[in-house]
């Protein structure tokens, strides 16, 4: 089994969402408090302006339609040791529309080295994560074209 960490560091002044959401949510600030209790020293970190989507997260249809299932409806055991398939599409080779890079269905088909069984996890990587610490990380991030998302959905993954 190969383990791949797809998280990014959280730090003061990190990137924020595009407007109008960015100014509504405010900036992210990390601070540390040290205190003594019972003759022992403790330290606590405080996250001001922390957003649910600051790092890696799981989204469900319930985020968009109240009648659909929520992440809390998924049994945690189903997310543990799941078969995952990485589709790597080089960010530098992506197409572009309106100044933003995109992943197409053709990109995904070329990246698919073997059949992905129904119910697996699909991870789409582009190498864009190396830009995590740039101020425009969020605003310049790539997107899936509609046909690419339809292709992924046709693979019937449990998790994308």
């Amino acid at each position: 089994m190969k383990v791949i960490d797809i998280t990014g560091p959280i730090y003061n002044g990190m990137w924020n969402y595009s407007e109008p959401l960015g100014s509504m949510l405010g900036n992210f600030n990390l601070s540390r408090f040290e205190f003594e209790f019972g003759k022992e020293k403790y330290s606590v970190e405080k996250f001001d302006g922390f957003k649910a989507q600051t790092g890696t997260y799981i989204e469900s249809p319930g985020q968009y339609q109240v009648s659909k299932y929520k992440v809390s409806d998924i049994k945690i055991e189903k997310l543990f040791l799941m078969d995952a398939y990485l589709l790597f599409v080089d960010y530098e080779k992506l197409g572009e529309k309106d100044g933003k890079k995109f992943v197409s269905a053709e990109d995904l088909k070329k990246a698919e080295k073997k059949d992905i069984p129904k119910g697996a996890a699909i991870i789409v990587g582009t190498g864009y994560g190396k830009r995590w610490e740039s101020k425009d990380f969020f605003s310049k991030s790539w997107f899936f074209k509609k046909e690419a998302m339809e292709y992924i959905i046709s693979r019937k993954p449990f998790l994308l």
Side-chain angles (χ1 to χ4, degrees), residues 48-159:
D48 289 325
F50 190 78
K51 292 100 176 152
Q53 298 172 337
T54 296
T56 306
Y57 64 98
I58 296 177
E59 200 171 86
S60 77
Q63 181 173 342
Y64 304 101
Q65 296 176 336
V66 177
S67 63
K68 299 289 184 177
Y69 71 89
K70 303 179 296 293
V71 172
S72 60
D73 295 335
I74 301 169
K75 293 188 183 304
I76 193 75
E77 304 85 47
K78 292 196 78 154
L79 300 171
F80 184 71
L81 293 178
M82 176 187 302
D83 287 335
Y85 294 79
L86 174 63
L87 303 180
F88 184 79
V89 181
D90 188 343
Y91 177 78
E92 301 303 328
K93 296 179 181 174
L94 293 178
E96 197 169 308
K97 179 175 173 38
D98 299 329
K100 289 189 73 143
K101 302 258 189 176
F102 64 81
V103 171
S104 69
E106 193 58 36
D107 292 329
L108 296 172
K109 289 173 187 175
K110 286 181 190 173
E112 194 172 345
K113 303 297 181 209
K114 56 181 156 177
D115 283 337
I116 300 172
K118 178 182 173 184
I122 297 176
I123 299 171
V124 178
T126 64
Y128 187 74
K130 64 184 161 207
R131 294 170 172 79
W132 180 265
E133 295 189 20
S134 68
K135 278 289 194 194
D136 61 0
F137 177 81
F138 187 79
S139 63
K140 298 273 175 138
S141 63
W142 57 270
F143 66 95
F144 288 107
K145 286 188 85 174
K146 181 178 185 272
E147 38 126 91
M149 190 53 68
E150 288 170 345
Y151 178 74
I152 289 173
I153 291 168
S154 78
R155 311 309 290 153
K156 302 210 181 300
F158 180 78
L159 184 71

